[in-house]
Amino acid sequence: RLVPAAFVQRCPHADGWSYVLDYSDDRNENDVPDELATIAAGFSNRNAYYVGNARLAKLNIQAAQICALASGTRLEGGACQWSCIDLPDVEDEDLPACDTCDGLDSSVSRLIAMLSGQVTGGEKRLHLPTGTFQGTGSSQTWSQSGSQRPMELPYHDWSWHVHGYGISLRVDQAGWEFGASPVRAQSWPFDVDTFQVRVQTDRLVPAAFVQRCPHADGWSY
């Protein structure tokens, strides 16, 4: 089980994905540790968790997505307002510095670790594409400007930031750790307060097999 028992899902996890990270930011609490080594080791509390680099390294990741969500805005069916994008293939030599990423052999796992808040800077900067939200929020991107601006990691002393006054992750800041800045958030149609990273791994159940007795959720057969 990747989701810790202490964590409370504010935005329900979608079927077919395993969630290695969920930061559901409480604006009045320090949800994500400030120390990068603590993040790398894995942590969990009521509002946030990351499975840790050691556990991430054991996953044979076939696909990965990052998602930004607004827990206070619900779509038809009850899901949080959301936007998810595929993590692109990135060459190791293009990745920024990460002092805690030793032991992560694949570029996608190293990138996930950096997105968790472990990126440490240096001269290299990585730019990732971003997306749009759903339904009436389909014109809203990850930036306030409305255009699809890139994410940059790291960004000054922040873990990462989307250009155009967009959403950011700042693990060194207690309280407002994820989302648009408090000043800029007032201009957004909804409060983006949740960041998730989800992966798909090797399928254990062969395609030719027909389940006579359905497999229970939360278990691998």
Side-chain angles (χ1 to χ4, degrees):
R1 177 182 174 87
L2 292 179
V3 181
F7 177 73
V8 178
Q9 289 186 35
R10 191 181 303 173
C11 290
H13 294 173
D15 293 338
W17 293 90
S18 296
Y19 287 71
V20 298
L21 177 155
D22 191 327
Y23 294 170
S24 296
D25 192 32
D26 185 321
R27 307 303 195 201
N28 298 309
E29 295 186 18
N30 188 13
D31 304 304
V32 183
D34 299 341
E35 300 77 18
L36 304 191
T38 304
I39 299 176
F43 74 93
S44 65
N45 55 56
R46 179 181 176 84
N47 299 319
Y49 77 88
Y50 169 59
V51 297
N53 292 358
R55 196 163 187 188
L56 185 68
K58 296 178 181 178
L59 300 178
N60 189 3
I61 298 173
Q62 303 299 307
Q65 290 186 338
I66 55 174
C67 302
L69 307 95
S71 66
T73 302
R74 299 287 167 158
L75 302 172
E76 186 176 349
C80 294
Q81 173 63 270
W82 62 272
S83 174
C84 294
I85 59 173
D86 294 329
L87 276 185
D89 293 329
V90 179
E91 299 296 330
D92 283 333
E93 56 265 27
D94 294 327
L95 292 172
C98 178
D99 296 340
T100 53
C101 288
D102 291 343
L104 294 172
D105 296 330
S106 71
S107 59
V108 67
S109 61
R110 291 175 67 85
L111 180 53
I112 290 172
M114 293 178 189
L115 288 164
S116 75
Q118 296 177 62
V119 63
T120 48
E123 295 182 359
K124 288 186 179 179
R125 296 290 187 271
L126 181 66
H127 292 84
L128 297 176
T130 56
T132 57
F133 288 84
Q134 309 304 306
T136 57
S138 60
S139 62
Q140 179 63 53
T141 67
W142 289 35
S143 70
Q144 183 184 333
S145 67
S147 59
Q148 291 195 33
R149 303 290 296 276
M151 173 196 296
E152 181 176 337
L153 70 155
Y155 181 79
H156 300 299
D157 58 344
W158 303 357
S159 302
W160 54 261
H161 171 70
V162 177
H163 287 267
Y165 305 111
I167 56 180
S168 310
L169 176 66
R170 297 189 64 181
V171 299
D172 63 340
Q173 178 170 298
W176 203 290
E177 295 163 284
F178 175 74
S181 70
V183 174
R184 297 291 177 180
Q186 300 175 23
S187 301
W188 283 61
F190 37 75
D191 181 15
V192 181
D193 60 358
T194 299
F195 177 58
Q196 299 173 341
V197 180
R198 60 189 190 182
V199 302
Q200 292 177 331
T201 58
D202 278 345
R203 180 183 176 90
L204 294 179
V205 180
F209 177 74
V210 178
Q211 291 184 34
R212 189 179 304 171
C213 295
H215 296 173
D217 292 338
W219 294 87
S220 298
Y221 285 75

